[in-house]
Amino acid sequence: MKVLIATEKPFAKEALEAIKKEIVDGGHSVEVLEKYTEKSELLSAVAQANAVIIRSDIVDKEVLDAAKELKIVVRAGAGYDNVDIQSAKEHQVVVENTPGQNANAVAELVFGLLVYAVRNFYNGKSGSELKGKKLGLLAYGNVSRNVSRIAKGFGMDVYAYDAYCTAEQIESDGVKAVSSPSALFEQCDVVSLHIPATPETTKSINYELVNKLPKGGILVNTARKEVINEEELLKLMAERQDIKFITDIKPSADEQFAQFEGRYFSTPKKMGAQTSEANTNAGIAAAKQINAFFNEGCTKYQVNK
Ligand code: 3PG
């Protein structure tokens, strides 16, 4: 079978070599399309492919229409909002993700951003410490579990809310479960977002919710920009001089947020999962899943059943 690795944002070199080897060892051939700038490049590359490994690359109806031989798309990562899973189903293409494989990298970046924020973006003025602060995790999946593990090392008090987890599941990790997103924002000094981008979560982080943060509250986003109601957050940050917003996903209104000097920071390009380890873990998992799909008919990680 022909496996295409199509990544606009490439895997680390060593990860790519390991992924290619895994595919070849599974009895398949590999093509690589990296750093492409035009959709047309992806459309011609997918034409012959039986399987595709992607990252945040957009796989929509047009791509699926062009991929006449395609049987499976594996998103090397967690969030698959970049794939039109309904259209894939209509094209009889299996879509999978690789949950948890890049979670530690994203979790570590949360702390990179947080230390930077509480130390006033390293401007030399006296900042504060994470120890003793209350950290709220909105959604309690793989990234949150890693954030919670690291937060305990910092001496933070960890709280979480997840619509799909019971309080018992959350508390069995030594994390305090709260009953709603509002309660999380009300009780925590820092709220870290780990919700996927879905029709329900889009723009759900709004004025009313973020305004519940106590004085000096910090909002951290390493999830998706779509979950933030940017217009309302801009309004709130203009009204409340104490709130900080730090993000790994540049908002559409980046220039407007940048006016809040010392209270806003965005990485130049989403880099939560940009480590050699995360690339290797997620990429090899994707390759193994493709081998298991073609060689054993396994669809364990299918998200469009
Ligand atoms: C994910 O959903 O796995 C992360 O957002 C990482 O995305 P990336 O592979 O585009 O860096």
Side-chain angles (χ1 to χ4, degrees):
M1 293 291 168
K2 292 179 179 153
V3 181
L4 172 70
I5 300 173
T7 51
E8 178 269 321
K9 179 172 62 181
F11 289 119
K13 202 170 177 297
E14 56 278 24
L16 182 65
E17 291 315 311
I19 299 162
K20 282 161 73 177
K21 183 175 182 310
E22 191 68 43
I23 296 166
V24 171
D25 288 352
H28 309 291
S29 65
V30 198
E31 293 281 330
V32 180
L33 172 70
E34 283 185 334
K35 293 188 195 166
Y36 59 93
T37 51
E38 302 298 328
K39 189 176 186 182
S40 57
E41 296 175 68
L42 178 61
L43 293 177
S44 53
V46 293
Q48 306 299 321
N50 304 114
V52 183
I53 294 177
I54 53 162
R55 294 187 64 182
S56 291
D57 307 76
I58 308 291
V59 175
D60 57 12
K61 184 177 178 301
E62 193 183 2
V63 174
L64 291 159
D65 283 344
K68 300 268 182 267
E69 309 299 325
L70 192 61
K71 298 281 176 270
I72 180 167
V73 175
V74 183
R75 195 282 191 236
Y80 48 87
D81 47 301
N82 48 319
V83 182
D84 184 338
I85 55 169
Q86 186 52 38
S87 180
K89 201 171 169 188
E90 283 154 20
H91 285 77
Q92 295 184 318
V93 171
V94 168
V95 180
E96 298 189 357
N97 65 349
T98 64
Q101 298 293 340
N102 57 18
N104 182 62
V106 180
E108 287 190 9
L109 188 75
V110 169
F111 289 90
L113 292 169
L114 269 181
V115 172
Y116 189 44
V118 294
R119 297 302 182 100
N120 297 322
F121 307 127
Y122 304 150
N123 70 356
K125 293 194 183 139
S126 192
S128 68
E129 298 177 20
L130 293 175
K131 186 176 176 189
K133 285 197 169 49
K134 291 180 177 168
L135 169 67
L137 305 171
L138 188 55
Y140 196 65
N142 291 307
V143 178
S144 275
R145 286 178 167 83
N146 279 282
V147 173
S148 138
R149 170 181 53 79
I150 300 168
K152 287 176 195 155
F154 273 93
M156 298 184 86
D157 209 3
V158 189
Y159 293 71
Y161 172 77
D162 190 311
Y164 302 95
C165 278
T166 63
E168 290 70 38
Q169 284 167 328
I170 291 173
E171 294 192 343
S172 66
D173 282 355
V175 171
K176 296 177 189 76
V178 299
S179 56
S180 66
S182 293
L184 196 74
F185 278 80
E186 251 162 38
Q187 291 178 36
C188 297
D189 306 296
V190 177
V191 171
S192 187
L193 306 176
H194 300 289
I195 44 177
T198 65
E200 292 74 41
T201 63
T202 297
K203 295 196 178 182
S204 63
I205 307 304
N206 57 21
Y207 181 98
E208 200 193 335
L209 201 54
V210 186
N211 196 24
K212 292 188 186 298
L213 280 174
K215 192 167 186 308
I218 302 176
L219 178 67
V220 194
N221 187 16
T222 54
R224 290 291 182 271
K225 73 173 183 178
E226 290 78 6
V227 303
I228 306 265
N229 185 323
E230 294 188 10
E231 207 179 309
E232 294 193 12
L233 184 56
L234 282 165
K235 177 174 172 324
L236 180 69
M237 288 182 74
E239 283 174 21
R240 279 189 58 177
Q241 310 289 312
D242 60 304
I243 300 252
K244 283 184 179 149
F245 172 42
I246 47 179
T247 178
D248 184 35
I249 313 99
K250 209 177 259 305
S252 306
D254 174 56
E255 279 180 24
Q256 283 159 278
F257 279 106
Q259 70 181 298
F260 302 117
E261 217 191 311
R263 296 198 286 128
Y264 167 71
F265 173 77
S266 170
T267 53
K269 198 164 184 181
K270 183 169 153 236
M271 54 181 294
Q274 275 298 61
T275 67
S276 171
E277 293 89 335
N279 290 174
T280 303
N281 292 342
I284 288 196
K288 281 188 194 295
Q289 287 171 218
I290 286 173
N291 288 343
F293 174 76
F294 286 125
N295 304 349
E296 296 150 34
C298 175
T299 55
K300 184 172 169 193
Y301 294 99
Q302 184 171 0
V303 295
N304 67 336
K305 277 198 173 128

